[in-house]
Amino acid sequence: MELQAVLMAAGGGSRMTDLTYNTPKAMLPVGNKPLMWYPLNLLERMGFEEVIVITTKEVQKMMSTDPKMKLDVKMKLDVVCIQEDGDMGTADALRHIQQKIKTDILVVSCDLITDVALHEVVDLFRAHNATLAMLMSKAHEFTETVPGQKGKKKTAEQRDFVGVDQSGKRLLFMANEADLEDGLSIRKSIMRKHPRMHIKTGLVDAHLYCLKKAVVDFLADNKSISSIRGELVPYLVRKQFSKTTNCPKIKDDAEDQNQKKNDGSTNHELLISSRDEPLLQLAQDRSCWNDHRGDMSEAYHGGKLRCYVHIMDEGPCYRVNTLAAYIEANRLAPKLFEEVPVHPSAVISERCQMGSDSYIGAMCQIADKTSIKRSTIGNSTTVKEKVKVANSIIMHGVTIEEGCNIQGSVICSNAVIGRGADLKYCLVGNGQQIEPEAERTNEVIVGADQLMEI
Amino acid sequence: MADAGEPEGPERKDDIVKAKQEGKELTKEEKQRLRKEKKQQKKSKEKKDDKPSRDSEKEKKPASAASPAPQTPTQPPAQKAPSAAPAPVPVPASETPSAADKPAKSKAELKAERRARQEAERASKGKKGDVGPQAAPGKPKAPPSELQPVVKRLPEHVQVDNPEVLKKLAKKLERQQIPLRSDYGYKVSLFSHLHQYSRKAPLTQQLGIPSTVIHPAIVRLGLQYSQGIVAGSNARSVALLHAFKQVIRDYTTPPNEELSRDLVNRLKPYISFLNQCRPLSASMGNAIKYIKKEISNIPSQCKEEEAKRKLLNCIDCYINEKIVLAAKAIAKYSIEKISDGDVILVYGCSSLVNHILCEAFEKNRKFRVIVVDSRPRLEGREALRRLVQKGINCTYVLISAVSYILPEVSKVFLGAHALLANGYVMSRVGTSQIALVAKAFNVPVLVCCETYKFCERVQTDSFVSNELDDPDDLIVTRTGTTQLEHWQEVPSLGLLNLVYDVTPPDFVDLVITDLGMIPCTSVPVVLRVKNVDQ
């Protein structure tokens, strides 16, 4: 067995609480499919037959009742539940399932929507015998207006600085703006080995990682690391160039020995590649290949720990962790997967004007004289007469009374929009009721209990 | 000498018995006698009348274990010609019932049968005398094909322009569940019979992740071959054996199967996969033959754990003997040939030549090295790095400057990818050029090659069997510009990136192997000695 897939679906969606306070992030509908379905579909298409899903009990319950998940996902899902409120990071979750992990792993986040050719990432992992291989993509600008945003854009998110070598594949440097106090400092040893480094900031981390099994074992011993993206990845990237990994056979000074003992145990685990290490070394010695030129060192500068990244230039790659991303994903994801615009069980009257890029879910009832353009309507939604819906996302179980006009809004599940309401760029929370003849623009309408969260 | 002791059915099986004996005992003299007999028979066909009488004589003593060896070979050749030439039909007919009756023949008997069929084929074609058993590179065919007169079997990888061969290959790969790698780009017409793949379209694109059909170590190895991370004859063989070790470790015998047979069958799709990633080298082919032989020789009562341990041990021994110790021995011989004040020319990056030069430098010989390099691989830079790291004085030139630099050179050391049975040296493209120019300047050319790279193929030119690398490697120049980026749109333009070429033995003065220093023409002797040993 080569790779085991692990899907992290326990995240809370902390950056879009308006949407997630009632529905867990993993089950938010995107294009009328739960968000989890997209990474699972990607894994299935690539040929995986089993996935370990780490999630909360709530999501597990919803998964078992959701028809889409039951029918479409043919892989065997091994669901592991963790406590929802416990502060479990992704690395903590990996530590939790350490017993199940028998080979190298592929960790995917539940909010990733992409159609990348996974073999590009996995080939880097295989060919170079890498410890870590990850996927990143050029960030797309979000063009849709986000409801609830008051005027100007929010302050720029903390940027990620990613340093790659000349070929664009080897990962040399990774840091978040928040961690860099004074400026970006790069060690001289790295510059000596890789004199040409490209530092990129406009990249989106897809949270798709191929990790060696030794890393999981290492995590089991180092309980201080709790997040893959936040702590483990920068640690591994830094460790590529640390002195102890590069020269394991240093002179036997006493101090060196002590230092080796402290770091040695951790490094030793990370560096075990195969039982026939001398043979591999012999093959590499006899091979006339080098990954760099211009200096006197051998391939990979003799380093055993290597991190690689595949940067997607084109093609969709979205991480649905903010409201803007969610809206964008809803717009584009159905096109990716060639969804049937109208679910066969929906009841649509003949005098309804439906645009070509609208998607109607199962068991909807759309009455006469309605106009639905560029919108997604969830399952079991009722839309009465003379309603105009444009550029909106309507989740499941919503009732929209007559004469409403909904533009650029997000209406969460089980909401009721009263007659004649006019909503522009609003976000209506779960189960909310909008009174008839209401006129709201650019507002977030949520329940009182929600307002208490900070 | 004795036959296998199997119960003889119909009497026409006699020739098979004799064939078995023949297969086991044919020595050089007997083969020559065989050819002479056939020539005689071709000229005078009256002897056919005598054959039936001799046949009846033979039938009286079918299973006589005491029949003296020299007599029996004379009879079967005489018997062969009539049985083969005027009546090819009885031979296949006799063979097929035998095959049907005895499904559990031992390997040696099958081998002897095949050889008998081959001999019959040759007799019916009326070949000349100097055709040895190495002539037919393809595997022996089923009996019906003996009826066709001439065509020798060519290996698949030199028949890419023949659609039937491609279809057969596609079918075979489909059966083994391995994706077919498609050729890329326009091929120059002289080389259109060879495969040409693109590095940007790896075979793993069509495999599922995670790979279940093919062992992960083999997928990793195939990727490393196709991307050139493991390059060079020795490195490829060692990496191959390393991957096989992992396969053997992870292998479990399925119930009702024998390890000796099942493991060989398990390795076949892996070898096809590696072949698709990059055509196998001669050294890899010999290593695979050795492993298959070792696996088949495992006795059936051996327990699985012990068998695996034995195989892993064999692999380690093979690598140690044929590669590591051989390199030491070759270095020892070569150091005698390197004297103080020498100027040595090397080409490209041969792991063996680099090892020799490093050893010689450690033994305090005073010499300097000229490294010749060529595009697009520019492997010489890696050789340069390794030598300079040791402290050797080096000069670096491109191959276009070789005739300007040769007056300074006192010796040329070349590495080899394989040594062919007719004494030709198959090596990186450009080697024959260097050997030619060195000959013109009367500079001695020494080829260093381990014996496990000796191969039974015969080639006199670089066209028939070669490897075409990715043509897109040629479009990038030193400054990084790609003028030829859209070469595919120009219909009359073809890019050719050859990998190997063959050097005739007249240009090579000495071959240094682990068996000693031999002239190029002694390669067939070494091969024969090796075959007899095995």
Side-chain angles (χ1 to χ4, degrees), chain A residues 2 46-48 119 123 126-127 129 274-276 279-280 283 285 287-290 293 295-298, chain B residues 204-205 208-211 220 223-224 228-231 235 242 245 249 319 349 379 381-382 385-386 388-389:
Chain A
E2 195 185 354
M46 287 294 136
F48 277 93
H119 78 91
D123 278 352
R126 290 166 175 152
N129 211 2
S274 104
R275 268 186 274 187
D276 295 303
L279 258 191
L280 261 186
D285 281 340
S287 171
C288 52
W289 178 83
N290 205 323
R293 63 179 184 89
D295 67 354
M296 277 294 162
S297 43
E298 45 177 354
Chain B
T204 49
Q205 228 169 7
I209 308 163
S211 73
R220 172 173 300 167
L223 255 181
Q224 288 178 331
I229 295 176
V230 175
H242 169 256
K245 272 181 94 167
R249 274 212 193 93
I319 295 179
C349 183
E379 288 170 337
R381 294 195 283 197
E382 182 60 21
R385 177 187 77 76
R386 288 178 198 208
V388 171
Q389 202 177 26

Side-chain angles (χ1 to χ4, degrees), chain B residues 156 159-160 162-182 195 197 206 272 276:
Chain B
E156 174 276 323
Q159 284 189 292
V160 175
N162 186 346
E164 292 163 10
V165 173
L166 283 182
K167 240 190 281 176
K168 258 196 242 171
L169 173 69
K171 252 194 246 165
K172 173 176 124 172
L173 289 177
E174 209 181 331
R175 217 177 346 116
Q176 295 175 329
Q177 291 180 289
I178 291 172
L180 175 69
R181 199 170 182 192
S182 45
H195 282 295
Y197 300 126
Q206 300 157 46
S272 301
Q276 289 284 95

